[in-house]
Amino acid sequence: VATPTMDRIAQSGLRYNNIHSTALCSPTRAALITGRNHHSVGFGVVSEQATGFPGYNSIIPEDKATIGRMLLDNGYATSWFGKEHNTPSFAASQAGPFDQWPTGMGFEYFYGFLAGEASQYEPQLMRNTAPVNAHELHRKGYHLSEDIASDAIKWLREQRAYAPDKPFFMYWAPGASHGPHHVMKEWADKYKGKFDDGWDKYRERAFASAKAKGWIPQNTQLTPRPASMASWDSIPEAEKPFQRRLMEVFAGFTEHADYNAGRV
């Protein structure tokens, strides 16, 4: 999958190849924005599955400040665009409370969605703590990744115009490549035929590439495919065109998000 923007950022920054977190979005993001273990900030699971047990209540405590809060308190302009999914489900309405929304956790400006996923064509978005009128979004040619890129660019230009010497922090998190995989046909068509030999062969190529790039040690062994997951050779031939298209759509969706990150 072509990701020239992410490649450029990776080459110019620090790359980490060893992260320990539960393989879920809310806990991983809670760890990223606080720099702490996800249990210590209330996110042992995604916010909708929260319980009253310590480490699982989906509430980031005030003494575990987010990077937005720390930078805002030190003179930065701060913003969050796109996916959020760290607001407790009991607080994700116009009744609030809003202390666990981005604007209550140190991000002065928020434009995105609170849920774990959103339609890329007809999302339900919030601007700060107010719902965005659906008529602004549900129009021909709309796509969420493009919208949050445009809004982020507008925010950046305003910061530069009004306070050019003020440092800023932006957290930009597109819905891609989380489901639903929504992207325009021309982006998916760029990958026509690239996955025709199936997921088992692709998995081997990706593993070899990760070794070649030094992302994993040279003596790493490829994990066996779980018995519960069908091998490519075992699925009916009539099903394979559909499965190939799923992979093409995912790849196009990912490159499209990378392109919009490049716009920002």
Side-chain angles (χ1 to χ4, degrees):
V1 181
T3 55
T5 301
M6 284 189 275
D7 291 348
R8 177 164 49 87
I9 293 170
Q11 291 295 336
S12 63
L14 294 175
R15 289 173 288 171
Y16 298 90
N17 65 357
N18 195 0
I19 179 172
H20 296 268
S21 177
T22 186
L24 294 165
C25 44
S26 298
T28 305
R29 186 172 307 99
L32 282 170
I33 64 173
T34 63
R36 298 173 184 266
N37 178 279
H38 51 286
H39 292 96
S40 72
V41 288
F43 275 96
V45 291
V46 295
S47 57
E48 291 86 353
Q49 295 174 345
T51 67
F53 292 103
Y56 293 84
N57 59 13
S58 73
I59 298 172
I60 299 176
E62 290 186 4
D63 65 342
K64 308 290 196 306
T66 69
I67 187 172
R69 168 58 60 198
M70 288 185 281
L71 292 179
L72 178 65
D73 290 351
N74 282 277
Y76 278 66
T78 57
S79 60
W80 183 326
F81 295 86
K83 180 173 175 173
E84 198 258 350
H85 207 203
N86 282 113
T87 296
S89 56
F90 59 79
S93 76
Q94 291 312 105
F98 300 109
D99 59 314
Q100 292 287 312
W101 288 48
T103 53
M105 294 190 291
F107 297 87
E108 291 177 298
Y109 179 78
F110 170 62
Y111 183 63
F113 57 99
L114 299 179
E117 61 186 24
S119 167
Q120 302 299 294
Y121 300 129
E122 296 181 338
Q124 293 179 306
L125 300 185
M126 297 287 177
R127 194 182 303 279
N128 299 320
T129 60
V132 177
N133 190 320
H135 294 296
E136 292 182 35
L137 309 174
H138 302 173
R139 60 184 187 272
K140 185 176 181 181
Y142 177 91
H143 193 282
L144 178 57
S145 296
E146 296 176 355
D147 184 22
I148 62 168
S150 296
D151 207 75
I153 291 167
K154 178 176 180 288
W155 184 84
L156 283 169
R157 286 176 172 161
E158 289 174 347
Q159 300 307 308
R160 178 157 188 165
Y162 301 138
D165 296 326
K166 187 176 184 179
F168 70 87
F169 175 78
M170 176 192 291
Y171 180 45
W172 193 83
S177 297
H178 196 290
H181 298 154
H182 290 163
V183 74
M184 291 71 79
K185 184 175 183 295
E186 59 267 24
W187 287 87
D189 285 351
K190 294 176 73 170
Y191 290 88
K192 202 84 170 160
K194 185 163 184 177
F195 308 104
D196 280 2
D197 57 354
W199 47 67
D200 289 318
K201 293 293 184 184
Y202 179 78
R203 191 164 177 258
E204 293 171 5
R205 290 198 302 273
F207 180 69
S209 176
K211 276 191 177 182
K213 293 178 179 180
W215 293 353
I216 55 178
Q218 292 303 306
N219 62 352
T220 304
Q221 300 295 310
L222 182 61
T223 55
R225 177 175 35 77
S228 60
M229 295 183 68
S231 69
W232 181 257
D233 292 337
S234 72
I235 66 172
E237 283 297 323
E239 186 183 328
K240 288 181 177 178
F242 169 70
Q243 296 291 354
R244 290 180 179 119
R245 189 56 174 171
L246 291 181
M247 291 186 274
E248 292 165 3
V249 169
F250 178 88
F253 188 33
T254 302
E255 184 181 350
H256 179 256
D258 183 84
Y259 167 78
N260 281 287
R263 290 177 55 213
V264 176

